[in-house]
Amino acid sequence: MPPLVQLQPLGEPRSRLGAALVEAVLIVVIGLLGVLLGAPAAHAQPPGPETFCGVYPDAPACAGGAPPCETCHETPPALNRYGEQVGEALLPGMARPLSAADFTTGLPLALAAVEGLDADDDGWANLEELLAGSSPADAGDQPADEACVDEDEDGWDLCGYDLDYAYKKVMLDFCGRSPSWVERAEFNLRGGARPAALHRALDACLDSEHWLGIEGRVWNLANSKIGPQLAVKSGNPVGPIPLADYDDDYAYFVWTQTDGRDARLVLTGQTFARARVVDGHTVYEEWDRAPREDLELRGGDRYQAVEKERRAGLLTHRWFIMSNTMFTSIPRTTAAQAYRAFLGYDIAKLEGLWPVAGEPADFDSKGVAAEACAGCHATLDPLTYPFTRYEGIGGGGAFSTPYSYAPNRLNAFADEDGERVKEAPEAGVLFGQPVADLLEWAQVAANSEAFRRATVRDYWRLLLGEAPRPSEEAEFSALVNDFGGVHGYSVERMLHDLIDTEAYGAP
Amino acid sequence: MRPEPLRPSRPAPLGPRAPRLRRAAWAGLCLLAAGCAAGPRTTSRINRVQARSGEVWARDLGNALGLQPWELCAELGTRDCVEEAHRVTLGGVEPAELGIDAPLPEPSVSAPMAADRVAISACGERFARDKAGPALLFGPVLERDSRRRRAEVSEALVLRVLGRPAQPAELDALEALYDDIKDKVDDPVRSWAVGACVVVTTSTEALFY
């Protein structure tokens, strides 16, 4: 079957320093679906999810408003077995790629055509699985038996939430060890007080080194966001080419995720944090200095060079700018990484497309206005403009202080990228909303549903080993909503509710 | 306390006599798996199993065997098996030098071997220390070997490693290991003790949750 989508990837973030040519990778041709979605629209994300939930509004996968990508994809744009069946039934005989209008028109008929098929050969028809909240593409995920009866006497409640199981899992997930026989016995002796005991155990484990220590679970959750590379690390340990110290980024990330702090600070905070081990226990301490003070204290290869009033959490940390912006005028990699790491949208997978009319303007003459590129760059380029005033390693004829806010830095790139680069605005667009600069960008991002969803999803995946299943979408969406509400953006409060979900506590 | 079934992972190589011991261990494990499952069984509706990371598994192993993490296993006597030599294989990450930001999505083919090496080393170390005294785990069979004393050790093994009492069928299976090897090895007490320890510490229940 010909692909519905043809995609050439944007660069993986970790290739960034290896070639120092991320810019070239970034402006690579995106693909045919990008083309079909390239027409300006107020909200022109791929129409599949929206149409799907229009057809199946009562499907559990639609409880959060849109089904997860995994409903039809392995990893977008690659289709899973169910997605392939839908693709084959979608306007057969019509040349690919389909226009957005044809795709939207044909999808309901295609969905209906495969309802009676069984994509994963598990004995359940696709429609039965969709309505029951199991995956039609995964034979290991089947509709639950409505009359679940736990026939054996192995002690586990296989039909619902099991407190003993949840306790053991909390100890393993957060404390990094199994409960001893004595601990389990004591826990189960508590009878009706077990739920409270479970949450006390969680509180204790949230302070464990396994959870919040250096290289602990929260620390490692930031790996793909920070993309550490020892070869260019400054500080201790130091690499052969010390450019920036990612320990600042890790410490700040963990600091924002712990002790009830507002997780939005990861994008909006204007201070820093350090990790210090005291009596075998890691503590995270906030600090703040002007760039000059930090230069004098920590030296030229480590200091944070952005003035406080221009800081936006990790987005303006030295390592983030150094490793993503590098030598580029229009640092699309930086914006794409921010979008992917903190908002959960990977533009390379055609996620989170909000094309802006008139874009991409291609101020740096990279050819991104070409038909095959514009589909994604109409979103990516306006997403990027607010990052253009933060100096990377250098580039062009730049003499701005590296890693600092430099309002006129684009002037230095005229020889390299053409005169028009100087016209690139600082204002951009995020989720269809105009933003004046990176500070506004960060505010819009941090207050978005995408941020809440991405943050909760990070921890869901960390604790359950996979993205929410369609049948778990309702529980997941409730966490997402509460994270910005009763949880007050506290990760720890959210985790207390996460361990109470059936997804977490049912054996 | 509610027992949960002890499931086998796979036979564990146990050194030069591995083939015979492996067969014996496997026979015991088969008993532990299907043989223990008399009567109806309910399948998990969630069907979600996660591997303990090497770090967590080793911590459990150390707690159960009374060893510090660095005493469990060292390749070539110098490289910590869990933290260094088999770090990624056992589900760890190495972001700064290898770019491995998250545990491998599927266990590598060498993961069972790495787990075996750690368990064999740790169990052997515990036996050696118990023999030198004072004994923590294998004392009953080191004092005087007998069926009853082996059962004591088996009970202690399951309790310490899996955090629950052993089921009768599991005790029988571990005892069966002794019956199979007693005439085929030079030191049946050590071979059985280390073998039983490896069986329990590399069982599915010990490696996954």
Side-chain angles (χ1 to χ4, degrees), chain B residues 71-96:
Chain B
E71 295 173 330
L72 296 174
C73 173
E75 293 292 0
L76 304 175
T78 58
R79 304 291 300 276
D80 187 286
C81 294
V82 177
E83 283 297 307
E84 294 180 77
H86 306 300
R87 181 187 180 97
V88 173
T89 300
L90 289 173
V93 297
E94 213 314 306

Side-chain angles (χ1 to χ4, degrees), chain A residues 14 140 151-152 154-156 158-159 162 164 168-169 173 176 178 181 223 230 463 466 469 472 502-503 507, chain B residues 1-4 40 42 44-48 50 52 55-56 59-60 87 95-97 99 101 159 163 209:
Chain A
R14 299 304 285 284
E151 292 180 316
D152 61 7
D154 66 356
W156 300 112
L158 293 171
C159 294
D162 186 301
D164 188 26
K168 182 177 178 182
K169 191 163 161 53
D173 286 334
S178 295
W181 151 244
N223 288 339
L230 184 58
L463 298 169
E466 60 183 358
R469 297 175 184 176
E472 296 162 343
E502 182 162 315
Chain B
M1 192 60 206
R2 303 174 304 184
E4 53 189 351
T42 307
S44 168
R45 290 185 302 136
I46 304 296
N47 194 23
R48 178 183 277 133
Q50 292 175 266
R52 285 173 169 81
E55 177 197 358
V56 171
R59 190 173 291 128
D60 279 354
R87 181 187 180 97
E97 292 184 81
D101 291 339
L159 197 64
Y209 70 108

Side-chain angles (χ1 to χ4, degrees), chain A residues 146-226:
Chain A
E146 288 182 7
C148 179
V149 177
D150 196 350
E151 292 180 316
D152 61 7
E153 295 181 355
D154 66 356
W156 300 112
D157 179 2
L158 293 171
C159 294
Y161 191 93
D162 186 301
L163 275 164
D164 188 26
Y165 174 80
Y167 174 66
K168 182 177 178 182
K169 191 163 161 53
V170 162
M171 294 294 289
L172 283 161
D173 286 334
F174 295 93
C175 270
R177 66 175 179 84
S178 295
S180 69
W181 151 244
V182 172
E183 286 172 321
R184 284 181 72 182
E186 286 177 352
F187 176 79
N188 283 307
L189 280 174
R190 295 182 187 277
R194 287 191 300 166
L198 178 71
H199 286 275
R200 281 198 300 276
L202 174 61
D203 276 332
C205 290
L206 286 172
D207 288 332
S208 71
E209 283 299 286
H210 176 75
W211 184 252
L212 60 67
I214 294 171
E215 296 188 20
R217 295 202 85 182
V218 180
W219 183 286
N220 279 323
L221 196 59
N223 288 339
S224 62
K225 304 178 194 304
I226 294 169

